[in-house]
Amino acid sequence: MRFPKRRGPDRKVRLAAAMLLVATTLAACGDGGDDGGKAGAPKAPATIPELTKDPLTLSFIWFEWPPAQALEAFANAEYKKLRPNVTVKVNTVPNANWHDAMFTQFAARKTDFDIAILDSQHIGEAVTNGNILDITDFVKNNIDVNAYNPYLLAAYGQFPQAETGKRDENASLYGLPLLGDTWTMIYRKDLIGDKPPQTWDEMISAADKCQKDNPGVSGLAFHQANGSDAAAVTYNTVNGVYGGNLWDAKTRKIDGVLNDAAGQEAMDVLVNKMKPLTATGSGNWFIDEVNAAVAQGKACIAFNWIAASGGLLDPKQSTLGTTREQILGKLGFATLPSQKTNLVPLGGMGMHVSAYSAEANQAEALNFMKWFEQPDIQKKWAAAGGVPSRTDAIESPEFLNAGPFNKVYADSVSRMRDMWNVPEYARLVDIENTNVNAALNGAKSPKEALDDIAKEQQAVLDSSDRKGGDGL
């Protein structure tokens, strides 16, 4: 955990800080307080309680990026038509601080937010520690679960999670989809041609040729940072397309699975074939840096989250054209190339009700979630720049025509693979980020980095008292 330095705290402040740090550390390890993390989440009511007529602020917590502002603007424009006394506030923090900003408050059993926007991998930790409401009965009474791809509904709300592509109807739900996402390949049509590469090897070859033919332009731009899940998602994506696995979920086995022949090939491709095609000094790039390279015409091919790509079409942020049409004349957006498989990373997040929010705010949160998941609202959210999860909204003209990358998302849903959805996620991803970043920056060899990831992650799982596995 990283805390800002303060000068001269008195003894009481130091003691409170120490207690909070201990509580936060326990939460991160899945040891949820006095009950050893076994109490689970409290249940939400099956029906929405009576809503207050008094002024109320419904607060979210998310990280700082364009969808956060889009959500606040959309909710205050549309939800107020139903609930004029409610103001929606989306509080944001830097991406690298997102997990800690939520779970520090969870550990203190007091939150200044009503709805936590969690990554799929955060759910296990929050459920184990009793931080969010079990909304299974609420969903049964208020949500048409058949309107969603079962994997998306599971990924953004279910724990424990099922095998990729499936939802266990007997498992509990703790959230509902807010924003779907995956990577898109962004490519310079004017430099490599209108047709995007179809395989990963073809992509690397095209990037190499483009870099050689265009001095000052790097062949590739992708996430490499040791923060959030940046470097880990990059390796996991390459691991997937080259036929690797992150673990055996049933046996909770990582060492010997992640670093098998397929895993080693993927790390070799990433470090020895892809990294040399990136810009000097890009070893800590994440979302914003990749977008900047594309907008400034400094990358032939890039990978980024779809929900973060809208600004690439803004002439005020781009040197590729003075109009959206001119920019689109140079930029293409495509699904990720395949290789041995066609897997793509699952992104996006769900909405989860804080167990420590006031009762009136919890009721409002449930009402907002029911409203938000309606088909007409999901289509409006799509038109406003959101990425929906309902199948009818994903396939709607409102979504498909809202951006050139939206069809990429629609075509990618059936190909998605997630990480480990376990309470130990935060520790696992930190290990992977650190080591992949070290390999990309020359501090470790590809084999050393991958073996270290497998060994250290296995130790985390082995130190847990949990026996069963969770799916990807």
Side-chain angles (χ1 to χ4, degrees), residues 249-340:
K250 293 182 179 179
T251 63
R252 291 168 64 86
K253 180 76 172 174
I254 294 178
D255 197 4
V257 178
L258 177 71
N259 53 340
D260 65 5
Q264 294 286 0
E265 180 183 14
M267 186 65 88
D268 179 71
V269 167
L270 175 61
V271 175
N272 293 323
K273 295 183 180 180
M274 294 174 62
K275 174 63 178 179
L277 300 176
T278 62
T280 301
S282 63
N284 283 301
W285 281 16
F286 196 21
I287 293 171
D288 292 344
E289 292 81 4
V290 170
N291 276 345
V294 174
Q296 295 166 13
K298 299 296 185 181
C300 299
I301 297 174
F303 298 100
N304 220 336
W305 296 109
I306 287 173
S309 299
L312 295 176
L313 306 181
D314 182 358
K316 295 179 181 179
Q317 302 180 42
S318 179
T319 63
L320 298 178
T322 58
T323 66
R324 176 186 171 101
E325 289 70 26
Q326 287 180 355
I327 295 171
L328 285 172
K330 295 182 178 179
L331 290 185
F333 299 86
T335 54
L336 298 196
S338 60
Q339 191 67 31
K340 295 180 180 178

XYZ file of all heavy atoms in Angstrom, residues 249-340:
675
model
N -7.369 -23.915 -12.779
C -8.268 -23.357 -11.773
C -8.773 -24.410 -10.782
O -8.986 -24.113 -9.612
C -9.457 -22.686 -12.468
N -8.957 -25.625 -11.238
C -9.507 -26.664 -10.357
C -8.526 -27.083 -9.271
O -8.906 -27.347 -8.141
C -9.948 -27.871 -11.183
C -11.141 -27.590 -12.090
C -11.563 -28.833 -12.859
C -12.773 -28.538 -13.749
N -13.189 -29.737 -14.530
N -7.257 -27.143 -9.631
C -6.238 -27.575 -8.667
C -5.476 -26.410 -8.067
O -4.637 -26.610 -7.195
C -5.233 -28.517 -9.349
O -4.550 -27.799 -10.393
C -5.936 -29.714 -9.954
N -5.740 -25.193 -8.510
C -5.032 -23.989 -8.079
C -3.529 -24.136 -8.326
O -2.693 -23.707 -7.532
C -5.328 -23.674 -6.609
C -6.766 -23.234 -6.385
C -7.140 -23.203 -4.915
N -6.392 -22.238 -4.127
C -6.722 -20.952 -3.976
N -7.781 -20.464 -4.602
N -6.010 -20.163 -3.205
N -3.207 -24.684 -9.467
C -1.813 -24.920 -9.831
C -1.374 -23.850 -10.834
O -2.004 -23.665 -11.886
C -1.669 -26.309 -10.454
C -0.268 -26.686 -10.872
C 0.596 -27.042 -9.692
C 1.949 -27.607 -10.131
N 2.854 -27.830 -8.981
N -0.301 -23.132 -10.512
C 0.274 -22.130 -11.407
C 1.660 -22.576 -11.876
O 1.934 -22.590 -13.081
C 0.359 -20.752 -10.719
C -1.047 -20.206 -10.443
C 1.146 -19.769 -11.588
C -1.078 -18.874 -9.719
N 2.529 -22.923 -10.929
C 3.886 -23.336 -11.286
C 3.833 -24.636 -12.082
O 3.295 -25.641 -11.626
C 4.703 -23.530 -10.009
C 6.210 -23.564 -10.265
O 6.620 -23.353 -11.420
O 6.957 -23.791 -9.304
N 4.373 -24.585 -13.281
C 4.307 -25.729 -14.183
C 3.216 -25.590 -15.225
O 3.202 -26.343 -16.207
N 2.299 -24.649 -15.016
C 1.243 -24.381 -15.997
C 1.542 -23.064 -16.724
O 1.696 -23.037 -17.940
C -0.142 -24.304 -15.316
C -1.221 -23.970 -16.335
C -0.459 -25.628 -14.624
N 1.666 -21.986 -15.972
C 1.978 -20.691 -16.574
C 3.305 -20.730 -17.319
O 3.439 -20.177 -18.417
C 2.027 -19.616 -15.483
C 2.414 -18.209 -15.956
C 1.289 -17.597 -16.775
C 2.768 -17.319 -14.768
N 4.287 -21.384 -16.737
C 5.638 -21.390 -17.303
C 5.953 -22.669 -18.066
O 7.099 -23.131 -18.094
C 6.674 -21.154 -16.213
C 6.543 -22.102 -15.027
O 5.492 -22.696 -14.802
N 7.618 -22.243 -14.259
N 4.925 -23.259 -18.703
C 5.168 -24.406 -19.576
C 5.701 -23.905 -20.920
O 6.018 -22.721 -21.076
C 3.912 -25.260 -19.730
C 2.763 -24.536 -20.436
O 2.964 -23.387 -20.910
O 1.654 -25.110 -20.509
N 5.804 -24.785 -21.904
C 6.407 -24.414 -23.190
C 5.630 -23.282 -23.868
O 6.225 -22.352 -24.436
C 6.481 -25.641 -24.099
N 4.290 -23.345 -23.811
C 3.485 -22.295 -24.443
C 3.676 -20.964 -23.730
O 3.774 -19.907 -24.365
C 2.009 -22.694 -24.438
N 3.728 -21.010 -22.394
C 3.947 -19.784 -21.644
C 5.297 -19.168 -21.923
O 5.419 -17.933 -22.040
N 6.321 -20.019 -22.025
C 7.664 -19.522 -22.330
C 7.724 -18.931 -23.738
O 8.371 -17.900 -23.963
C 8.685 -20.665 -22.191
C 8.865 -21.197 -20.776
C 9.642 -20.253 -19.866
O 10.071 -19.179 -20.281
N 9.805 -20.652 -18.611
N 7.051 -19.578 -24.687
C 7.030 -19.026 -26.040
C 6.377 -17.644 -26.050
O 6.867 -16.716 -26.701
C 6.275 -19.957 -26.994
C 6.233 -19.420 -28.429
C 5.434 -20.292 -29.380
O 4.684 -21.172 -28.905
O 5.547 -20.085 -30.616
N 5.279 -17.496 -25.324
C 4.593 -16.215 -25.271
C 5.482 -15.124 -24.675
O 5.531 -13.991 -25.180
C 3.305 -16.346 -24.462
N 6.208 -15.445 -23.602
C 7.086 -14.449 -22.988
C 8.243 -14.102 -23.921
O 8.668 -12.933 -24.015
C 7.617 -14.960 -21.654
C 8.417 -13.923 -20.886
S 7.445 -12.494 -20.340
C 6.861 -13.098 -18.745
N 8.747 -15.091 -24.628
C 9.816 -14.836 -25.596
C 9.332 -13.922 -26.717
O 10.037 -12.991 -27.122
C 10.328 -16.156 -26.178
C 11.423 -15.933 -27.203
O 12.535 -15.545 -26.804
O 11.166 -16.140 -28.411
N 8.120 -14.164 -27.224
C 7.553 -13.309 -28.276
C 7.396 -11.873 -27.770
O 7.761 -10.912 -28.447
C 6.187 -13.869 -28.748
C 5.448 -12.839 -29.599
C 6.393 -15.163 -29.534
N 6.865 -11.742 -26.555
C 6.634 -10.411 -26.001
C 7.942 -9.645 -25.827
O 8.047 -8.479 -26.242
C 5.915 -10.531 -24.656
C 5.706 -9.234 -23.878
C 4.845 -8.257 -24.669
C 5.080 -9.526 -22.518
N 8.947 -10.282 -25.236
C 10.177 -9.572 -24.881
C 11.133 -9.436 -26.062
O 11.737 -8.379 -26.274
C 10.870 -10.282 -23.701
C 12.222 -9.630 -23.391
C 9.980 -10.245 -22.464
N 11.275 -10.504 -26.846
C 12.302 -10.506 -27.888
C 11.812 -10.135 -29.279
O 12.623 -9.802 -30.151
C 12.976 -11.883 -27.931
C 13.775 -12.155 -26.670
O 14.396 -11.256 -26.110
N 13.741 -13.404 -26.199
N 10.493 -10.179 -29.510
C 9.968 -9.812 -30.825
C 9.123 -8.543 -30.791
O 9.184 -7.728 -31.712
C 9.148 -10.964 -31.401
C 9.973 -12.214 -31.701
C 9.123 -13.301 -32.352
C 9.954 -14.537 -32.655
N 9.139 -15.615 -33.296
N 8.334 -8.348 -29.748
C 7.456 -7.186 -29.675
C 8.139 -5.972 -29.045
O 8.034 -4.856 -29.549
C 6.182 -7.536 -28.906
C 5.298 -8.564 -29.601
S 3.878 -9.088 -28.590
C 2.994 -7.532 -28.380
N 8.830 -6.174 -27.933
C 9.479 -5.066 -27.243
C 10.436 -4.273 -28.139
O 10.448 -3.033 -28.092
C 10.204 -5.586 -26.000
C 11.038 -4.534 -25.274
C 10.189 -3.391 -24.726
C 11.079 -2.400 -23.967
N 10.296 -1.262 -23.437
N 11.254 -4.920 -28.990
C 12.157 -4.147 -29.842
C 11.439 -3.229 -30.842
O 12.089 -2.344 -31.428
C 12.959 -5.233 -30.583
C 12.905 -6.420 -29.687
C 11.540 -6.371 -29.081
N 10.150 -3.413 -31.033
C 9.388 -2.586 -31.962
C 8.678 -1.431 -31.260
O 7.867 -0.739 -31.871
C 8.366 -3.450 -32.709
C 8.954 -4.591 -33.544
C 7.840 -5.430 -34.160
C 9.874 -4.053 -34.632
N 8.962 -1.238 -29.975
C 8.340 -0.143 -29.231
C 9.291 1.033 -29.113
O 10.502 0.916 -29.356
C 7.922 -0.593 -27.819
O 9.092 -0.991 -27.084
C 6.956 -1.760 -27.885
N 8.742 2.175 -28.742
C 9.526 3.401 -28.653
C 10.504 3.358 -27.480
O 10.231 2.741 -26.444
C 8.587 4.596 -28.496
N 11.629 4.021 -27.641
C 12.569 4.177 -26.537
C 11.871 4.882 -25.372
O 11.173 5.880 -25.564
C 13.780 5.009 -26.987
O 14.411 4.355 -28.095
C 14.776 5.178 -25.848
N 12.044 4.350 -24.183
C 11.417 4.958 -23.011
C 9.985 4.556 -22.765
O 9.314 5.136 -21.909
N 9.492 3.540 -23.478
C 8.084 3.136 -23.340
C 7.882 2.048 -22.294
O 6.790 1.488 -22.180
C 7.538 2.649 -24.685
O 8.231 1.481 -25.128
N 8.906 1.750 -21.506
C 8.834 0.640 -20.570
C 7.836 0.804 -19.447
O 7.559 -0.162 -18.736
N 7.287 2.000 -19.275
C 6.262 2.201 -18.244
C 5.002 2.818 -18.835
O 4.247 3.502 -18.139
C 6.805 3.070 -17.102
C 7.709 2.280 -16.182
O 7.292 1.288 -15.588
N 8.961 2.685 -16.097
N 4.741 2.543 -20.102
C 3.543 3.063 -20.748
C 2.301 2.308 -20.296
O 2.331 1.111 -20.028
C 3.664 2.943 -22.267
C 4.509 4.012 -22.902
C 5.381 4.854 -22.278
C 4.570 4.328 -24.291
N 5.976 5.674 -23.193
C 5.509 5.378 -24.436
C 3.940 3.821 -25.420
C 5.812 5.927 -25.680
C 4.242 4.366 -26.659
C 5.162 5.416 -26.793
N 1.189 3.092 -20.247
C -0.122 2.496 -19.974
C -1.113 3.141 -20.943
O -0.757 3.522 -22.052
C -0.489 2.683 -18.503
C -1.618 1.799 -18.015
C -1.985 0.632 -18.671
C -2.311 2.144 -16.861
C -3.021 -0.173 -18.207
C -3.352 1.342 -16.385
C -3.701 0.190 -17.056
N -2.351 3.281 -20.555
C -3.428 3.709 -21.450
C -3.129 5.050 -22.106
O -3.191 5.188 -23.339
C -4.757 3.770 -20.673
C -5.190 2.369 -20.240
C -5.853 4.420 -21.520
C -6.373 2.352 -19.276
N -2.832 6.058 -21.310
C -2.667 7.409 -21.849
C -1.473 7.515 -22.776
O -1.532 8.205 -23.805
C -2.525 8.419 -20.704
C -3.803 8.589 -19.905
O -4.867 8.165 -20.398
O -3.738 9.132 -18.785
N -0.373 6.863 -22.425
C 0.831 6.954 -23.240
C 0.643 6.272 -24.595
O 1.128 6.760 -25.626
C 2.014 6.343 -22.495
C 2.452 7.114 -21.263
C 1.623 6.853 -20.021
O 0.709 5.991 -20.082
O 1.896 7.485 -18.988
N -0.062 5.145 -24.604
C -0.338 4.466 -25.876
C -1.228 5.343 -26.753
O -0.975 5.514 -27.949
C -0.987 3.089 -25.627
C -1.506 2.491 -26.936
C 0.020 2.137 -24.988
N -2.265 5.918 -26.160
C -3.139 6.804 -26.930
C -2.374 8.002 -27.480
O -2.602 8.436 -28.624
C -4.303 7.287 -26.067
C -5.452 6.298 -26.027
O -5.521 5.372 -26.838
N -6.359 6.474 -25.083
N -1.472 8.562 -26.695
C -0.700 9.717 -27.145
C 0.185 9.349 -28.332
O 0.306 10.124 -29.299
C 0.143 10.263 -26.000
N 0.794 8.172 -28.283
C 1.642 7.738 -29.391
C 0.835 7.599 -30.677
O 1.279 8.001 -31.758
C 2.321 6.416 -29.043
N -0.366 7.032 -30.563
C -1.232 6.891 -31.742
C -1.655 8.261 -32.255
O -1.560 8.555 -33.452
C -2.471 6.032 -31.402
C -3.441 6.012 -32.586
C -2.059 4.613 -31.034
N -2.132 9.125 -31.355
C -2.651 10.438 -31.761
C -1.569 11.313 -32.378
O -1.855 12.143 -33.253
C -3.266 11.138 -30.553
N -0.317 11.123 -31.958
C 0.791 11.912 -32.491
C 1.447 11.267 -33.707
O 2.451 11.765 -34.210
C 1.833 12.123 -31.390
C 1.331 12.970 -30.225
C 2.224 12.901 -29.011
O 3.362 12.407 -29.075
N 1.729 13.366 -27.872
N 0.860 10.176 -34.194
C 1.394 9.526 -35.386
C 2.704 8.812 -35.161
O 3.494 8.649 -36.093
N 2.939 8.341 -33.917
C 4.227 7.745 -33.572
C 4.188 6.226 -33.453
O 5.152 5.622 -32.986
C 4.721 8.335 -32.246
C 4.956 9.845 -32.269
C 6.067 10.229 -33.235
C 6.372 11.720 -33.157
N 7.450 12.093 -34.114
N 3.075 5.598 -33.856
C 2.979 4.131 -33.752
C 2.263 3.577 -34.975
O 1.251 4.122 -35.419
C 2.240 3.726 -32.485
N 2.787 2.471 -35.501
C 2.148 1.806 -36.642
C 0.951 0.970 -36.194
O -0.103 0.988 -36.833
C 3.149 0.895 -37.345
S 4.597 1.713 -38.024
N 1.119 0.236 -35.101
C 0.081 -0.637 -34.564
C 0.103 -0.484 -33.044
O 1.177 -0.444 -32.427
C 0.321 -2.114 -34.932
C 0.253 -2.311 -36.459
C -0.690 -3.029 -34.238
C 0.630 -3.722 -36.919
N -1.073 -0.383 -32.441
C -1.165 -0.236 -30.987
C -2.299 -1.094 -30.456
O -3.208 -1.484 -31.201
C -1.388 1.231 -30.611
N -2.237 -1.357 -29.162
C -3.296 -2.089 -28.481
C -3.783 -1.255 -27.303
O -2.971 -0.744 -26.521
C -2.788 -3.443 -27.978
C -2.328 -4.359 -29.081
C -0.984 -4.501 -29.380
C -3.256 -5.066 -29.842
C -0.566 -5.332 -30.402
C -2.849 -5.900 -30.869
C -1.506 -6.033 -31.152
N -5.096 -1.115 -27.176
C -5.638 -0.390 -26.038
C -7.063 -0.838 -25.772
O -7.699 -1.501 -26.613
C -5.597 1.126 -26.266
C -5.200 1.872 -25.001
O -5.377 1.369 -23.887
N -4.659 3.073 -25.163
N -7.556 -0.475 -24.576
C -8.929 -0.782 -24.219
C -9.886 0.037 -25.061
O -9.658 1.239 -25.303
C -9.172 -0.492 -22.735
C -8.378 -1.355 -21.814
C -7.322 -0.977 -21.043
C -8.568 -2.757 -21.580
N -6.842 -2.055 -20.333
C -7.589 -3.159 -20.634
C -9.462 -3.715 -22.061
C -7.478 -4.469 -20.172
C -9.356 -5.021 -21.598
C -8.384 -5.386 -20.671
N -10.953 -0.573 -25.527
C -11.927 0.109 -26.371
C -12.532 1.311 -25.663
O -12.680 2.386 -26.251
C -13.020 -0.891 -26.818
C -12.448 -1.850 -27.870
C -14.249 -0.158 -27.357
C -13.386 -2.974 -28.247
N -12.875 1.154 -24.389
C -13.526 2.236 -23.655
C -12.629 3.452 -23.495
O -13.115 4.538 -23.176
C -13.991 1.742 -22.288
N -11.322 3.285 -23.717
C -10.382 4.401 -23.589
C -9.965 4.975 -24.934
O -9.093 5.841 -24.991
C -9.140 3.941 -22.832
N -10.588 4.518 -26.016
C -10.115 4.881 -27.354
C -10.863 6.024 -28.012
O -10.478 6.472 -29.094
C -10.177 3.644 -28.270
O -9.342 2.609 -27.767
N -11.941 6.506 -27.399
C -12.750 7.538 -28.043
C -11.997 8.803 -28.366
O -12.228 9.445 -29.401
N -11.065 9.201 -27.495
C -10.324 10.437 -27.716
C -9.443 10.411 -28.947
O -9.028 11.472 -29.437
N -9.141 9.226 -29.467
C -8.305 9.131 -30.669
C -8.972 9.769 -31.882
O -8.291 10.111 -32.857
C -7.986 7.669 -30.978
C -7.139 6.931 -29.938
C -6.992 5.471 -30.325
C -5.763 7.589 -29.803
N -10.291 9.935 -31.831
C -11.023 10.503 -32.967
C -11.264 11.998 -32.807
O -11.906 12.616 -33.652
C -12.369 9.781 -33.116
C -12.294 8.256 -33.218
C -13.680 7.664 -33.387
C -11.385 7.833 -34.358
N -10.724 12.586 -31.741
C -10.906 14.010 -31.472
C -9.791 14.808 -32.146
O -8.618 14.675 -31.772
C -10.878 14.245 -29.964
C -11.119 15.696 -29.590
O -11.274 16.540 -30.503
O -11.150 15.990 -28.379
N -10.107 15.635 -33.136
C -9.065 16.410 -33.838
C -8.247 17.297 -32.901
O -7.086 17.599 -33.195
C -9.860 17.243 -34.840
C -11.135 16.493 -35.037
C -11.440 15.867 -33.718
N -8.839 17.699 -31.776
C -8.111 18.542 -30.828
C -6.981 17.781 -30.145
O -6.050 18.398 -29.612
C -9.069 19.095 -29.777
C -10.122 20.044 -30.333
C -11.053 20.526 -29.233
C -12.118 21.458 -29.786
N -13.063 21.915 -28.718
N -7.073 16.449 -30.145
C -6.065 15.627 -29.478
C -5.152 14.903 -30.460
O -4.290 14.134 -30.048
C -6.748 14.592 -28.575
C -7.664 15.170 -27.514
C -8.321 14.095 -26.659
O -7.678 13.127 -26.267
N -9.606 14.260 -26.375
N -5.342 15.125 -31.756
C -4.653 14.320 -32.770
C -3.909 15.182 -33.778
O -4.338 16.292 -34.109
C -5.678 13.439 -33.506
O -5.058 12.661 -34.499
N -2.817 14.640 -34.271
C -2.091 15.268 -35.375
C -2.368 14.550 -36.695
O -1.759 14.872 -37.714
C -0.572 15.240 -35.103
O -0.125 13.874 -35.046
C -0.240 15.934 -33.789
N -3.288 13.575 -36.668
C -3.557 12.771 -37.858
C -4.608 13.374 -38.776
O -4.852 12.849 -39.863
C -3.989 11.360 -37.445
C -2.957 10.545 -36.651
C -3.522 9.187 -36.270
C -1.671 10.387 -37.451
N -5.261 14.440 -38.345
C -6.278 15.066 -39.186
C -6.977 16.183 -38.436
O -6.960 16.236 -37.201
N -7.600 17.052 -39.172
C -8.330 18.170 -38.560
C -9.810 17.857 -38.406
O -10.555 18.660 -37.851
C -8.157 19.440 -39.409
O -8.637 19.186 -40.746
C -6.691 19.854 -39.474
N -10.241 16.702 -38.894
C -11.620 16.259 -38.724
C -11.613 14.783 -38.329
O -10.616 14.066 -38.545
C -12.442 16.415 -40.013
O -11.925 15.519 -41.015
C -12.399 17.850 -40.521
N -12.732 14.341 -37.787
C -12.887 12.925 -37.439
C -12.713 12.054 -38.687
O -12.069 10.997 -38.638
C -14.268 12.712 -36.815
C -14.645 11.273 -36.485
C -16.083 11.229 -36.009
N -16.609 9.880 -35.873
C -16.722 9.220 -34.737
N -16.324 9.786 -33.611
N -17.228 7.997 -34.698
N -13.259 12.503 -39.797
C -13.190 11.736 -41.040
C -11.746 11.594 -41.519
O -11.341 10.525 -42.001
C -14.044 12.397 -42.120
C -15.544 12.289 -41.888
C -16.034 13.147 -40.713
O -15.364 14.173 -40.405
O -17.052 12.786 -40.101
N -10.960 12.663 -41.399
C -9.558 12.576 -41.800
C -8.787 11.592 -40.919
O -7.953 10.819 -41.406
C -8.910 13.953 -41.737
C -9.344 14.901 -42.845
C -8.666 16.257 -42.743
O -7.935 16.541 -41.783
N -8.904 17.120 -43.720
N -9.068 11.625 -39.622
C -8.396 10.693 -38.709
C -8.763 9.249 -39.057
O -7.893 8.366 -39.111
C -8.767 11.015 -37.247
C -8.233 12.395 -36.857
C -8.219 9.950 -36.304
C -8.727 12.895 -35.519
N -10.052 9.011 -39.324
C -10.490 7.660 -39.667
C -9.944 7.205 -41.012
O -9.939 6.012 -41.316
C -12.015 7.580 -39.652
C -12.650 7.553 -38.256
C -14.166 7.664 -38.347
C -12.255 6.279 -37.522
N -9.502 8.146 -41.825
C -8.843 7.776 -43.071
C -7.476 7.157 -42.838
O -6.950 6.460 -43.714
N -6.919 7.408 -41.652
C -5.599 6.876 -41.327
C -5.629 5.771 -40.273
O -4.720 4.933 -40.234
C -4.687 8.009 -40.844
C -4.377 9.050 -41.919
C -3.439 10.120 -41.391
C -3.100 11.133 -42.473
N -2.197 12.194 -41.971
N -6.637 5.781 -39.403
C -6.700 4.790 -38.336
C -7.745 3.723 -38.623
O -8.863 4.026 -39.028
C -7.050 5.456 -37.000
C -6.012 6.342 -36.335
C -6.507 6.790 -34.968
C -4.669 5.628 -36.200
N -7.367 2.474 -38.385
C -8.314 1.369 -38.433
C -8.377 0.700 -37.073
O -7.423 0.747 -36.290
N -9.525 0.090 -36.770
C -9.722 -0.622 -35.500
C -10.178 -2.038 -35.822
O -11.133 -2.234 -36.581
C -10.765 0.090 -34.638
C -10.376 1.498 -34.263
C -10.665 2.564 -35.113
C -9.717 1.747 -33.078
C -10.305 3.866 -34.766
C -9.355 3.045 -32.723
C -9.650 4.105 -33.570
N -9.520 -3.022 -35.236
C -9.831 -4.422 -35.554
C -9.760 -5.267 -34.294
O -9.138 -4.883 -33.293
C -8.854 -4.955 -36.603
N -10.396 -6.432 -34.343
C -10.242 -7.400 -33.263
C -8.788 -7.870 -33.232
O -8.060 -7.750 -34.227
C -11.156 -8.612 -33.479
O -10.913 -9.151 -34.785
C -12.619 -8.236 -33.371
N -8.360 -8.396 -32.106
C -6.982 -8.849 -31.994
C -6.717 -9.997 -32.963
O -7.579 -10.857 -33.175
C -6.683 -9.326 -30.575
C -6.807 -8.317 -29.433
C -6.095 -8.858 -28.198
C -6.273 -6.952 -29.801
N -5.518 -10.039 -33.535
C -5.175 -11.182 -34.385
C -5.157 -12.472 -33.565
O -4.947 -12.452 -32.352
C -3.763 -10.836 -34.876
C -3.594 -9.371 -34.637
C -4.434 -9.050 -33.449
N -5.365 -13.576 -34.220
C -5.284 -14.875 -33.558
C -3.914 -15.488 -33.831
O -3.122 -14.956 -34.605
C -6.392 -15.798 -34.056
O -6.273 -15.993 -35.459
N -3.648 -16.615 -33.204
C -2.449 -17.379 -33.494
C -2.801 -18.841 -33.278
O -3.476 -19.435 -34.097
C -1.278 -16.928 -32.615
C 0.080 -17.489 -33.042
C 0.567 -16.970 -34.394
O 0.272 -15.849 -34.793
N 1.301 -17.802 -35.103
N -2.425 -19.405 -32.148
C -2.852 -20.772 -31.853
C -4.275 -20.801 -31.313
O -4.955 -21.820 -31.380
C -1.881 -21.417 -30.863
C -0.485 -21.602 -31.454
C 0.474 -22.237 -30.460
C 1.853 -22.398 -31.092
N 2.841 -22.974 -30.132
